[in-house]
Amino acid sequence: MKRQVLLLISILYLGSVNGQVSYSIPEEMAKGSLVGNIAQDLGLDVKRLKSGKARIYTGDSVQYIELNRERGVLLIREKIDREALCRQTTPCALHFQITLENPLELFPVTVEITDINDNAPVFQKEERRFEISESAVVGSKFMLEKAIDPDIGLNGLQRYTLKPSDNFVLKLHAQSDGSKKVEMILQKPLDREKQEHISLVLTAEDGGEPQMTGTMQIHVTVLDVNDNAPIFSKPVYKASITENSVIGTLVTKVSASDADKGSNGEVTYVIGNSMDTVSPLFHINGEGDVILDGSIDYEKQKTYHIDIEAIDLGGLSDSSKIVIDVIDVNDNSPVINMISTSGSVPEDSAHKTVIALMSVNDPDSETNGKVNCVINENIPFEIKFTSNNFYSIVTDSDLDRERSSEYNITVTCSDEGVPSLSSSVTLTLQISDVNDNAPVFERSSYEAYIVENNTPGLSIFTVKARDADWNQNARVSYILEDSSVNGVPVSSYVSVSADSGVIHAVRSFDYEQIKDFHFRVKAQDGGSPPLSSNVSVKILIQDQNDNPPQVLYPVQTGGSVVAEMVPRSADVGYLVTKVVAVDVDSGQNAWLSYKLQKATDRALFEVGLQNGEIRTIRQVTDKDAVKQRLSVIVEDNGQPSRSATVIVNVAVADSFPEVLSEFTDFPHDKEYNDNLTFYLVLALAVVSFLFITCLVVIISVKIYRWRQSRILYHSSLPVIPYYPPRYSDTLGTGTLQHVYNYEVCRTTDSRKSDCKFGRAGSQNVLIMDPSSTGTMQRIQSDKSILDEPDSPLEQKPPNNDWRFTQGQRPGPSGATGGPEVAMGTGPWPQPPTEAEQLQALMAAANEVSEATATLGPGTMGLSTRYSPQFTLQHVPDYRQNVYIPGSTATLTSNPQQQQATAQQASQQALPPPQASAQPEPPKAAQTPASKKKSTKKEKK
């Protein structure tokens, strides 16, 4: 505590000259100790230190001093060791700057560090050994190692003492660097026989309070017979070397001579001050060459002092000194330190506004350490030199954020060495925005189109304005300026979105009422005060095809009939009348075209496509009807097109009375047109009902037939012979199926001719009679074509040739019956399966359909195409018998087969339906027509 009080009392205030303050403090002061009242010494208020954010700038050096803004004093931040900080340099001082902001100010401060006796003298080695010849003469010199005391002044090394001092005394020699060379001088001849080993103590003392010492033991061994010591050629050697020289560089060469001969004359060289920093940097070989062992830096040490010693084998030695000067080279680039910078400045800043403060230092010397700083070009800034290697960057011209919102200021500092070295640092500066730009529209005026009949709220188009400012100053709002259109506020027509500028239609527009209108839109930014601009907008309404053509002539009246007269003598191109129509739309929506939709006689009149004129296209004749009704459709050219229809009544006559009688039924046509829609709907409903009914009936019939076939197959009664489906049975009155259709075409004069149609001759029913012996009976329908009063035809009974023999009837493969088996009197040898019956039915039906389409009138035929599963063996060859509709004749393939068939048929003929048990009636004779057809068939 006593020591701290003494140190505080020893603080010396040196004063402030031109804004520079200096202090003096001892080393090793405790942390937090007071250095000085900087606020008072600089004449500043403590509040200024706080508001200016005062701080200490030391550059790259360690900050030992800290600033207390609350008290305005400087305090010890780290304990200071003067020897570590400055070594032997005097005076030892700390240099730093105190910076203030708003405005920027800089105050240099110097704190001198005074030495205290905190280090004792120290020898590198605790002992030293000498071998001295007994013949050594009085006055022989033996150089001793110097002690090192890091303190300076009185606290440094002051004196040496050697005990005992019987044979040797100490002698000190002052040197140019302020140190002292210590030599041990022989003052009394040595006698090895009396004392071979001598022990001495060398003590080094400083002058501090309290005094501190260091000791080294000296052991002397007395040798024999070497009475000449080496001698250097020079007491001091001088040399120079450039910094950054490579290791192994020869610095200089020293030499020492010894008058002795032999081994006593051999000299070795050693460096004396091995404790110093010189020892690791240099070494000397046996030839006296001083070699560089480490890297040297001019900025760390400019001169080296080396003590050398020449020793012979007898232990005699001589000492000398080498002074080495280091030559500076330009090996350090300037060091740029930014003291204070501004991150952003407003674009309306005044000229010479300080942007940044910085310091530049080059450790090199002379011209190598002279620095010049510049900044990049074409920016509104400049760099100024202030003092003591300090620079400031200030504005040079007006700033504009819209032109450049950010600047990268590159500071380049170069020294004047050869070659020149440089360093650079880049400062990024943001330009803050000021609302100095009004919104600007993309166009000077806008013009937009909208189709009429739009839905309210429809987006028409967008106006866009841009503001060159930033953030809130660039936020644009859109406002519809007050105005009127035809006395109505424009806000009832359109609206504008404040944020997006989208213009919406408030109402539905009608081109026929308003075709265009104007208004103005204002764009306003969000700055303070706000800036604005406006633009003119024109909305054009586009026409839409929303109006059909209106027929002006002929006028359509509800009760009366208007007709145009055309004389029968009218020639080709006669102008009957002209249909006049208009369309209130515009453009191509109003282009009208006329077409003849319906006409009583389309070959007599035509309508002009563009003008609507109705003209005759041929000569009017007496055969043309008096009453002509033309339906003309008028269409516009819109998409989609709209149309109107007009009825034009034309009377082809020469006088009015003959026209009057023909046009009495024209009102009825109007009534017919009115009811046409109703009749169409009714017909559609009836057709749908009939279609569904037919589907139900067909399905019911199919099910019924399937069930009947199952009953017949599983019964124990004789099997009914199978007949192909589309052929009449043997007892029918006709040979065609009754599902055939006939299409009759008549000419225009067919009313003067007679045409008679025949209908189905009978309805055939198959009956199972248990009392019979398996014969098939046919019951003719009560109503036949002969019963109808208007039927002009009589159907003859069929001939017996029509019947099938047992071998011709369908059945399974190989089932053929002989002529002795009567038709219908017994079962087939192998009854056909249900699948075979179905296949035979389908094959026969397909063949008859094809034969009907391919044979000529009055003939029928079958082809031989059947499915692979059902061959010709399952169905009789119907091509052997051709049946002619309306005739009782049967054509066969050859006379022999026809005759055999006739004979077999006469023997096995079924009885007539009236008396099944009676004998068969005689075979009907062939008609001349049937004979003629048979002859033609045989010829073929």
Side-chain angles (χ1 to χ4, degrees):
M1 183 66 184
K2 180 180 180 180
R3 181 185 178 190
Q4 292 181 353
V5 172
L6 292 175
L7 292 176
L8 290 174
I9 295 175
S10 64
I11 295 174
L12 176 63
Y13 171 69
L14 300 178
S16 173
V17 179
N18 294 329
Q20 182 172 354
V21 179
S22 299
Y23 298 93
S24 178
I25 60 174
E27 65 174 334
E28 301 295 336
M29 288 183 67
K31 184 178 180 180
S33 300
L34 177 66
V35 177
N37 192 329
I38 189 64
Q40 180 179 354
D41 297 337
L42 292 177
L44 298 175
D45 191 2
V46 176
K47 295 181 180 179
R48 170 58 181 150
L49 297 179
K50 295 180 182 179
S51 62
K53 299 179 180 179
R55 61 188 180 91
I56 293 177
Y57 173 74
T58 61
D60 293 337
S61 303
V62 179
Q63 184 176 347
Y64 293 96
I65 309 297
E66 66 179 1
L67 173 64
N68 189 324
R69 296 178 187 171
E70 303 295 330
R71 298 166 53 194
V73 296
L74 296 177
L75 303 176
I76 297 297
R77 181 179 180 182
E78 297 289 340
K79 183 180 290 187
I80 303 173
D81 186 358
R82 193 206 67 81
E83 287 74 22
L85 182 64
C86 299
R87 292 189 177 182
Q88 300 296 318
T89 303
T90 57
C92 179
L94 295 176
H95 300 279
F96 56 89
Q97 294 79 30
I98 295 179
T99 61
L100 297 175
E101 297 179 1
N102 298 323
L104 293 172
E105 292 183 295
L106 187 68
F107 300 94
V109 177
T110 302
V111 177
E112 183 180 0
I113 310 301
T114 60
D115 184 44
I116 62 174
N117 191 22
D118 57 343
N119 293 282
V122 178
F123 291 94
Q124 182 181 6
K125 298 179 181 180
E126 295 181 358
E127 62 180 16
R128 177 75 185 273
R129 295 183 179 275
F130 292 93
E131 294 180 352
I132 304 174
S133 176
E134 65 177 348
S135 60
V137 297
V138 175
S140 297
K141 301 177 181 178
F142 303 94
M143 190 177 72
L144 300 178
E145 180 181 359
K146 292 186 295 184
I148 301 300
D149 190 348
D151 296 331
I152 60 173
L154 293 176
N155 297 324
L157 183 63
Q158 296 297 320
R159 55 186 174 272
Y160 294 89
T161 58
L162 182 65
K163 293 181 180 180
S165 57
D166 297 334
N167 299 96
F168 299 92
V169 295
L170 291 178
K171 185 176 182 180
L172 302 179
H173 299 278
Q175 294 182 324
S176 60
D177 59 348
S179 63
K180 296 180 179 180
K181 184 172 67 173
V182 183
E183 291 182 343
M184 184 175 64
I185 307 300
L186 181 63
Q187 66 176 353
K188 181 180 179 181
L190 300 177
D191 188 359
R192 188 188 63 81
E193 287 72 20
K194 290 182 178 181
Q195 189 178 5
E196 185 177 0
H197 299 283
I198 301 174
S199 295
L200 304 174
V201 176
L202 178 63
T203 303
E205 300 176 352
D206 62 17
E209 288 294 331
Q211 187 181 45
M212 305 182 76
T213 61
T215 62
M216 181 180 68
Q217 295 291 329
I218 301 175
H219 301 281
V220 179
T221 300
V222 180
L223 301 178
D224 199 14
V225 195
N226 188 19
D227 53 350
N228 291 293
I231 299 174
F232 280 100
S233 59
K234 294 181 180 179
V236 177
Y237 293 89
K238 292 186 176 181
S240 63
I241 185 173
T242 58
E243 64 174 331
N244 300 330
S245 296
V246 296
I247 296 176
T249 302
L250 176 64
V251 179
T252 186
K253 186 177 180 65
V254 297
S255 64
S257 60
D258 193 324
D260 295 332
K261 293 182 178 181
S263 59
N264 292 329
E266 295 179 2
V267 178
T268 58
Y269 302 91
V270 295
I271 295 178
N273 48 348
S274 57
M275 178 89 179
D276 203 354
T277 57
V278 177
S279 178
L281 297 178
F282 304 94
H283 80 275
I284 188 169
N285 57 20
E287 286 73 28
D289 296 330
V290 179
I291 308 298
L292 180 65
D293 277 346
S295 59
I296 56 176
D297 190 353
Y298 175 84
E299 287 72 35
K300 292 182 179 180
Q301 191 166 346
K302 301 177 177 58
T303 304
Y304 292 92
H305 298 269
I306 304 175
D307 295 327
I308 59 174
E309 183 179 3
I311 304 173
D312 61 11
L313 296 179
L316 300 179
S317 64
D318 190 13
S319 61
S320 182
K321 187 179 186 65
I322 302 175
V323 178
I324 301 175
D325 295 325
V326 180
I327 301 175
D328 182 38
V329 295
N330 191 24
D331 59 343
N332 291 280
S333 300
V335 179
I336 303 174
N337 297 307
M338 302 302 296
I339 299 175
S340 180
T341 60
S342 298
S344 64
V345 293
E347 58 179 327
D348 58 350
S349 298
H351 286 194
K352 307 303 178 182
T353 299
V354 179
I355 304 302
L357 288 175
M358 62 181 184
S359 66
V360 183
N361 182 35
D362 193 326
D364 294 325
S365 63
E366 298 181 355
T367 58
N368 294 332
K370 292 183 179 180
V371 178
N372 296 317
C373 294
V374 295
I375 61 175
N376 47 322
E377 299 178 352
N378 301 324
I379 57 174
F381 303 97
E382 65 177 351
I383 186 169
K384 287 188 174 182
F385 176 78
T386 55
S387 62
N388 198 18
N389 295 331
F390 286 92
Y391 294 83
S392 62
I393 300 175
V394 298
T395 58
D396 188 26
S397 60
D398 294 334
L399 303 178
D400 188 358
R401 194 205 66 83
E402 290 71 38
R403 184 175 59 199
S404 179
S405 62
E406 180 181 276
Y407 289 96
N408 291 321
I409 306 173
T410 302
V411 181
T412 303
C413 296
S414 304
D415 57 26
E416 296 182 2
V418 179
S420 176
L421 300 179
S422 63
S423 298
S424 62
V425 64
T426 300
L427 169 66
T428 300
L429 181 66
Q430 302 288 339
I431 308 301
S432 58
D433 186 47
V434 175
N435 190 26
D436 56 349
N437 292 278
V440 178
F441 284 93
E442 294 178 347
R443 301 180 186 176
S444 59
S445 63
Y446 289 88
E447 187 174 284
Y449 296 85
I450 184 173
V451 180
E452 64 172 332
N453 301 322
N454 60 285
T455 58
L458 177 67
S459 174
I460 302 177
F461 75 106
T462 303
V463 294
K464 195 68 176 179
R466 300 186 182 276
D467 196 313
D469 294 323
W470 183 72
N471 207 355
Q472 185 66 24
N473 296 330
R475 184 177 180 180
V476 180
S477 300
Y478 301 92
I479 304 172
L480 183 65
E481 293 188 351
D482 295 334
S483 62
S484 61
V485 178
N486 297 331
V488 179
V490 71
S491 59
S492 63
Y493 285 89
V494 293
S495 66
V496 61
S497 175
D499 296 329
S500 61
V502 178
I503 296 179
H504 299 272
V506 177
R507 62 167 62 179
S508 179
F509 298 107
D510 188 356
Y511 177 82
E512 287 71 34
Q513 294 182 1
I514 182 172
K515 293 180 173 56
D516 61 73
F517 60 93
H518 298 76
F519 59 91
R520 298 185 71 83
V521 176
K522 180 172 70 173
Q524 180 175 290
D525 61 25
S528 180
L531 302 177
S532 63
S533 61
N534 52 30
V535 68
S536 175
V537 180
K538 180 179 182 182
I539 303 296
L540 298 165
I541 314 300
Q542 290 184 332
D543 184 40
Q544 192 179 37
N545 191 24
D546 57 343
N547 294 282
Q550 298 178 1
V551 179
L552 303 180
Y553 183 83
V555 180
Q556 301 294 302
T557 59
S560 60
V561 177
V562 179
E564 303 290 339
M565 294 285 293
V566 176
R568 293 188 178 275
S569 60
D571 202 353
V572 177
Y574 177 81
L575 177 62
V576 178
T577 185
K578 182 176 182 179
V579 178
V580 180
V582 294
D583 194 324
V584 297
D585 293 325
S586 64
Q588 65 177 4
N589 295 329
W591 297 351
L592 301 181
S593 60
Y594 303 84
K595 297 178 183 179
L596 185 60
Q597 187 179 26
K598 294 180 181 179
T600 305
D601 188 357
R602 299 185 67 91
L604 183 57
F605 300 100
E606 69 175 358
V607 179
L609 181 63
Q610 303 298 334
N611 53 22
E613 294 179 351
I614 301 176
R615 295 179 180 271
T616 59
I617 58 177
R618 65 174 175 81
Q619 181 70 40
V620 180
T621 64
D622 294 337
K623 294 182 180 180
D624 293 329
V626 175
K627 180 175 61 177
Q628 298 286 338
R629 182 184 179 91
L630 307 181
S631 177
V632 179
I633 183 171
V634 183
E635 293 182 344
D636 58 24
N637 199 33
Q639 293 294 333
S641 64
R642 293 178 174 267
S643 63
T645 304
V646 60
I647 303 299
V648 179
N649 298 315
V650 179
V652 181
D654 294 328
S655 62
F656 182 73
E658 72 175 301
V659 174
L660 186 60
S661 61
E662 293 291 338
F663 279 83
T664 56
D665 58 344
F666 266 71
H668 301 288
D669 296 336
K670 182 177 183 300
E671 182 180 357
Y672 170 79
N673 290 333
D674 295 338
N675 297 331
L676 179 60
T677 303
F678 171 77
Y679 291 146
L680 291 176
V681 175
L682 182 60
L684 179 60
V686 172
V687 169
S688 301
F689 174 78
L690 293 178
F691 175 76
I692 296 174
T693 304
C694 291
L695 285 179
V696 174
V697 171
I698 290 173
I699 294 173
S700 301
V701 171
K702 291 292 185 181
I703 295 174
Y704 173 78
R705 289 182 178 179
W706 177 78
R707 295 186 61 185
Q708 288 296 325
S709 63
R710 298 292 295 177
I711 294 173
L712 292 176
Y713 180 76
H714 292 286
S715 65
S716 60
L717 298 177
V719 179
I720 303 173
Y722 177 82
Y723 288 91
R726 294 183 178 267
Y727 287 85
S728 301
D729 54 48
T730 58
L731 297 180
T733 58
T735 59
L736 289 179
Q737 54 185 354
H738 40 265
V739 295
Y740 273 48
N741 298 324
Y742 294 89
E743 182 178 357
V744 179
C745 299
R746 297 187 295 171
T747 64
T748 54
D749 295 333
S750 61
R751 290 177 292 179
K752 299 178 183 180
S753 62
D754 295 331
C755 182
K756 297 182 179 181
F757 303 92
R759 298 184 179 177
S762 64
Q763 299 292 335
N764 299 329
V765 180
L766 297 179
I767 300 176
M768 299 295 298
D769 188 3
S771 61
S772 65
T773 59
T775 61
M776 180 186 297
Q777 296 184 0
R778 177 185 178 276
I779 300 177
Q780 205 170 17
S781 176
D782 295 334
K783 285 188 178 183
S784 64
I785 194 170
L786 298 175
D787 298 332
E788 296 180 7
D790 57 349
S791 176
L793 301 178
E794 291 183 2
Q795 185 68 28
K796 295 181 180 182
N799 55 9
N800 296 330
D801 302 340
W802 194 85
R803 300 182 179 91
F804 289 121
T805 65
Q806 181 68 21
Q808 294 173 332
R809 294 178 181 175
S813 178
T816 58
E820 69 278 5
V821 181
M823 182 181 300
T825 59
W828 290 354
Q830 293 182 2
T833 64
E834 185 177 352
E836 289 176 337
Q837 292 184 21
L838 181 60
Q839 291 176 350
L841 177 64
M842 295 175 61
N846 293 333
E847 291 301 334
V848 172
S849 298
E850 295 181 2
T852 305
T854 56
L855 293 179
T859 63
M860 294 183 61
L862 290 172
S863 66
T864 59
R865 295 190 299 269
Y866 292 95
S867 63
Q869 293 82 1
F870 186 74
T871 62
L872 291 178
Q873 297 176 355
H874 297 81
V875 181
D877 189 1
Y878 299 113
R879 292 175 296 179
Q880 298 173 2
N881 301 290
V882 179
Y883 309 99
I884 303 175
S887 174
T888 58
T890 301
L891 298 182
T892 59
S893 60
N894 54 71
Q896 292 80 7
Q897 184 178 0
Q898 181 180 3
Q899 185 176 358
T901 305
Q903 292 175 0
Q904 187 177 4
S906 63
Q907 296 174 3
Q908 301 176 1
L910 294 173
Q914 292 80 3
S916 61
Q918 295 179 3
E920 180 184 356
K923 180 180 180 181
Q926 293 183 352
T927 62
S930 64
K931 290 180 180 180
K932 185 177 181 180
K933 292 179 180 179
S934 177
T935 306
K936 291 181 179 180
K937 181 66 176 181
E938 291 173 359
K939 289 181 180 180
K940 292 181 179 180

